[in-house]
Amino acid sequence: MVAERKIWDAMEVAQEARDCCSSDIHSSQLTVDTSLSLSDMSPRLIELCKDLFKKWSRLEDSCFTIETVSGGITNLLLKVSVKEENGNEVSVTVRLYSPNTDYFINRERELQAIKYLSAAGFGAKLLGVFGNGMVQSFINARTLTPADVRKPKLAAEIAKQLRKFHAVEIPGSKEPQLWNDIFKFYENASILRFDDIEKQRKFETILFKEVYDEVVEIKELTGRLNAPMVFSHNDLLSGNLMLNEDEGKLYFIDFEYGSYSYRGFDIGNHFNEYAGYDCDYSLYPSKDEQYHFFRHYLRPDKLDEVSDKDLEALYIETNTFMLASHLFWALWAIIQAKMSPIDFDYLGYFFLRYNEYKKQKEKSCSLARSYLSGCGSG
């Protein structure tokens, strides 16, 4: 078996995590080949779990049950259930990183964030790290659907949780990463070449100079809005939200794209995800739906005290950064078209997001410029 490439030194990052969290973070230098079928992967996963958690090292392999939770674009989530010597059954989540994802995801930044977000009550608890992934506590909850996030009660809860998420302090640089990431995606995407003739033909129809000019324009416009800098999730789609309905507890998961960024980007990006996996952007929330979300985000304890001025300001901020969200994922898709082993029309997805950007641009930019002129800004 060809060993999966390590993305970090597991021993080193586990020690850093222990130093930060004062908790027992286990480590293993093993890797798991993500190209294998679940049945072929299972013996290696059992070996990994035994290596990470010494209390399981003497258990028979038959004590371990492995099932797929979800197969995302950038990682594979597996549930490992273990029948311990005392008869108790415990479960953990194993997150395997897909090949080449560190090309556009800063894994060490992700790990740094997980330690502090977990301590603040977000996501699953970090239990261990290994050569190409991590092990976390298992969250007993269901993944939300795109239809769920549009429901007023859940939208209000997401808004309240997002407010708390944005209040978490992550040590290190507070420099916003959004435009750094977008320009990095642009530079990497614009010089790609595809062996597949059809992909190369489609790639050559992308007007990179036009895209660059659009990025510069939106960066300049959003820069005039003075949006607050917060630690952002940056990928708050329904698949990264889980709900335990018995306890009424909502979980944010998967902080791969997390970084310091702009409040409006995180919210606008979430609203774009109302479109769901079919990318039906007619489902983008109406102004009333957005105001419902904003009230619960701004003053969850005193909804009636949110001023019209604050609502309008957040509406403008969100719907301008919504454009940046389309640009971010459009450029991301070009790189995925080259790097991802998943059979998906990423170049088609670039055009879908970029065309939606162009469709929404005039209205959103016009609103922002009108608002700024009324405020005497710029």
Side-chain angles (χ1 to χ4, degrees):
M1 182 184 74
V2 177
E4 191 82 4
R5 184 171 67 85
K6 290 180 185 177
I7 60 164
W8 51 30
D9 183 307
M11 304 295 181
E12 194 177 295
V13 296
Q15 185 58 52
E16 289 173 5
R18 283 192 287 269
D19 292 344
C20 146
C21 301
S22 303
S23 59
D24 195 13
I25 312 288
H26 301 271
S27 62
S28 169
Q29 295 289 23
L30 295 179
T31 58
V32 179
D33 185 350
T34 56
S35 68
L36 296 175
S37 67
L38 185 61
S39 59
D40 289 338
M41 194 189 290
S42 292
R44 183 67 165 179
L45 285 164
I46 294 169
E47 180 188 2
L48 170 68
C49 288
K50 288 182 176 184
D51 190 47
L52 276 169
F53 307 106
K54 302 310 177 194
K55 64 179 180 177
W56 296 344
S57 61
R58 295 189 305 276
L59 294 177
E60 296 291 329
D61 286 5
S62 57
C63 296
F64 295 79
T65 306
I66 299 167
E67 57 188 289
T68 303
V69 176
S70 67
I73 287 172
T74 52
N75 60 65
L76 176 64
L77 275 186
L78 301 160
K79 178 185 179 183
V80 179
S81 301
V82 186
K83 192 161 190 178
E84 297 185 319
E85 288 175 332
N86 60 10
N88 289 344
E89 185 171 293
V90 297
S91 298
V92 295
T93 302
V94 177
R95 184 185 296 274
L96 295 172
Y97 295 136
S98 302
N100 301 322
T101 53
D102 48 324
Y103 195 78
F104 44 82
I105 292 172
N106 184 329
R107 292 296 182 192
E108 296 200 2
R109 185 171 79 189
E110 176 194 6
L111 186 76
Q112 167 84 338
I114 283 175
K115 295 179 293 193
Y116 291 92
L117 291 168
S118 176
F122 287 98
K125 184 182 177 185
L126 179 64
L127 303 176
V129 292
F130 56 97
N132 64 323
M134 64 177 64
V135 180
Q136 294 172 282
S137 59
F138 180 74
I139 295 176
N140 185 25
R142 73 172 180 89
T143 303
L144 295 190
T145 66
D148 286 328
V149 300
R150 297 194 297 274
K151 295 173 182 174
K153 187 177 177 183
L154 272 174
E157 187 58 31
I158 293 166
K160 286 188 275 188
Q161 288 296 319
L162 189 58
R163 176 188 173 89
K164 292 177 185 174
F165 188 93
H166 285 167
V168 177
E169 284 280 325
I170 308 293
S173 171
K174 303 288 195 289
E175 181 190 355
Q177 295 301 307
L178 174 63
W179 298 108
N180 292 345
D181 288 345
I182 288 179
F183 282 115
K184 184 177 75 176
F185 288 172
Y186 175 86
E187 287 166 15
N188 291 332
S190 61
I191 58 172
L192 291 176
R193 290 291 176 269
F194 293 88
D195 296 330
D196 182 293
I197 294 171
E198 181 57 29
K199 278 187 179 179
Q200 182 62 26
R201 185 199 63 75
K202 191 180 274 192
F203 173 80
E204 288 172 359
T205 66
I206 298 172
L207 303 174
F208 277 101
K209 178 63 170 67
E210 177 188 288
V211 175
Y212 182 85
D213 290 343
E214 296 294 338
V215 170
V216 170
E217 182 180 350
I218 300 305
K219 179 178 186 290
E220 185 275 332
L221 183 58
T222 56
R224 293 165 59 196
L225 295 171
N226 298 317
M229 216 82 65
V230 295
F231 190 84
S232 302
H233 186 288
N234 295 326
D235 191 23
L236 207 55
L237 71 166
S238 62
N240 287 335
L241 293 160
M242 299 183 77
L243 178 68
N244 181 314
E245 296 188 87
D246 293 336
E247 299 173 6
K249 183 166 174 56
L250 180 73
Y251 294 89
F252 288 10
I253 63 166
D254 206 344
F255 310 126
E256 293 184 306
Y257 293 94
S259 70
Y260 271 93
S261 190
Y262 305 94
R263 174 184 68 177
F265 179 83
D266 221 11
I267 300 174
N269 185 72
H270 174 63
F271 286 168
N272 275 337
E273 295 296 346
Y274 277 40
Y277 304 112
D278 295 330
C279 299
D280 180 0
Y281 289 106
S282 69
L283 297 174
Y284 188 81
S286 66
K287 190 171 187 177
D288 285 345
E289 289 173 314
Q290 291 188 46
Y291 273 28
H292 170 74
F293 187 99
F294 297 154
R295 286 189 180 93
H296 286 88
Y297 177 90
L298 291 168
R299 293 296 299 270
D301 52 337
K302 296 180 179 176
L303 301 178
D304 294 339
E305 293 185 16
V306 180
S307 69
D308 289 345
K309 181 183 175 184
D310 286 346
L311 287 170
E312 183 190 14
L314 188 48
Y315 179 75
I316 296 297
E317 179 189 320
T318 296
N319 289 279
T320 312
F321 274 104
M322 168 270 288
L323 298 173
S325 162
H326 283 305
L327 292 171
F328 180 97
W329 294 111
L331 289 165
W332 168 93
I334 302 173
I335 298 169
Q336 285 282 13
K338 178 69 175 179
M339 299 294 173
S340 176
I342 296 170
D343 182 20
F344 179 78
D345 182 13
Y346 287 108
L347 289 176
Y349 188 69
F350 161 82
F351 285 106
L352 191 151
R353 295 300 298 253
Y354 189 56
N355 288 337
E356 185 63 23
Y357 160 81
K358 290 195 284 189
K359 182 178 173 183
Q360 299 300 333
K361 181 193 171 188
E362 185 177 350
K363 179 187 174 186
S364 293
C365 288
S366 176
L367 278 171
R369 292 192 174 103
S370 174
Y371 172 80
L372 287 165
S373 65
C375 294
S377 171

